Amino acid sequence: METKKSQKANLEKSRLMFTQVGLIVSLAVAWMVFETKSYDKKEISTIGDRQIVEVEDFIPITVQEKPKPIERPQVAVQFEIVDDKEDVKDNFDIEATVDQKEAIPDYVPIDIEDEVIVEPAPIRVAEVMPQFPGGDLKLLEFISKNIKYPQLARETGTQGRVYISFVVEPDGSISNVELLRGIGAGCDEEAMRVVKAMPKWLPGRQCGKAVRVMYNLPVNFKLQ
């Protein structure tokens, strides 16, 4: 005898649908489990129309205390008040006594030596060397216009180069003019005269400060 099944009671056709529905429900439950967050327990109380929320885990606000000022010991000065008529005793007495018959010596003034100002030694090479106003060309122009060939040197045919040394001070003035090497016949003195007559130079500088710098200058005497 053949067994017959009703088409309405046949669930084989709906197996795929039930499987998909079950899978979707399982995924939904798993997602809800992982996404659910736990919060601290709160107590809510109502005052009028407002709600006050009390949280168990409260983080206190750190308040930095201001450092207390350092108390310095005070020195107490005490004054003793005495009556104007009362004699006040001093710790010591100073007396200046002299015999009227004693001869008074003549006053002799004390010799005070003038203060000797020691100037720093000049340097030979500075970071910024001193310079004649306008540069080397103006220096040559000044010497050629002011120097005079000595008559003795002309008569004797003396010619050559005279070397003069001098110091350029921090204010640009010229000092310590000396002859290093000369040729005579009045040429040495003439070269030194012209150097002493030069105007103030631009001073040399070391570390941004004007300093004393020694400078050597050759003066050439030549007959034409």
Side-chain angles (χ1 to χ4, degrees):
M1 182 175 181
E2 184 179 358
T3 303
K4 294 183 180 180
K5 293 183 180 181
S6 174
Q7 295 296 330
K8 294 181 179 180
N10 188 8
L11 299 179
E12 292 294 332
K13 296 180 179 180
S14 303
R15 178 183 297 178
L16 180 60
M17 182 181 65
F18 290 151
T19 303
Q20 294 177 349
V21 172
L23 183 60
I24 292 173
V25 172
S26 300
L27 293 175
V29 172
W31 180 80
M32 290 177 63
V33 170
F34 286 107
E35 289 296 324
T36 302
K37 297 181 179 179
S38 60
Y39 297 92
D40 296 332
K41 182 179 179 181
K42 301 180 180 178
E43 295 182 0
I44 302 176
S45 60
T46 305
I47 300 177
D49 296 335
R50 300 181 179 178
Q51 292 183 351
I52 301 176
V53 180
E54 298 181 359
V55 183
E56 291 182 356
D57 296 335
F58 177 75
I59 301 176
I61 300 175
T62 303
V63 179
Q64 295 182 355
E65 297 181 358
K66 295 183 179 179
K68 296 182 180 180
I70 301 174
E71 297 182 358
R72 297 183 179 179
Q74 298 181 356
V75 180
V77 181
Q78 297 181 357
F79 296 93
E80 183 179 356
I81 301 175
V82 297
D83 191 2
D84 294 340
K85 297 180 180 179
E86 183 178 352
D87 294 335
V88 180
K89 295 181 179 180
D90 296 331
N91 294 331
F92 55 90
D93 295 332
I94 299 177
E95 295 182 357
T97 60
V98 64
D99 189 358
Q100 294 182 355
K101 298 180 180 180
E102 182 179 353
I104 300 176
D106 296 335
Y107 172 74
V108 178
I110 302 174
D111 294 334
I112 301 176
E113 297 181 357
D114 295 336
E115 183 179 359
V116 179
I117 300 175
V118 179
E119 297 182 350
I123 60 177
R124 294 186 178 274
V125 180
E127 293 178 355
V128 179
M129 291 296 292
Q131 188 179 29
F132 187 86
D136 295 339
L137 294 178
K138 289 293 183 179
L139 174 60
L140 296 176
E141 182 180 349
F142 175 85
I143 294 176
S144 61
K145 286 183 178 181
N146 291 274
I147 202 163
K148 297 179 180 179
Y149 214 106
Q151 183 63 31
L152 180 59
R154 292 182 180 181
E155 295 175 355
T156 57
T158 302
Q159 57 183 354
R161 185 168 295 176
V162 178
Y163 289 90
I164 304 297
S165 172
F166 57 91
V167 175
V168 181
E169 298 292 340
D171 61 351
S173 59
I174 304 300
S175 66
N176 299 1
V177 181
E178 297 179 358
L179 176 66
L180 292 181
R181 189 173 67 185
I183 58 177
C187 296
D188 306 340
E189 293 78 6
E190 180 63 17
M192 295 179 66
R193 183 192 68 82
V194 174
V195 170
K196 293 179 180 179
M198 289 190 300
K200 287 187 176 182
W201 285 41
L202 300 178
R205 293 189 174 274
Q206 188 78 8
C207 299
K209 183 179 179 181
V211 294
R212 306 179 72 216
V213 181
M214 183 174 291
Y215 199 92
N216 296 335
L217 179 67
V219 181
N220 191 21
F221 289 85
K222 185 176 181 182
L223 294 170
Q224 294 182 353

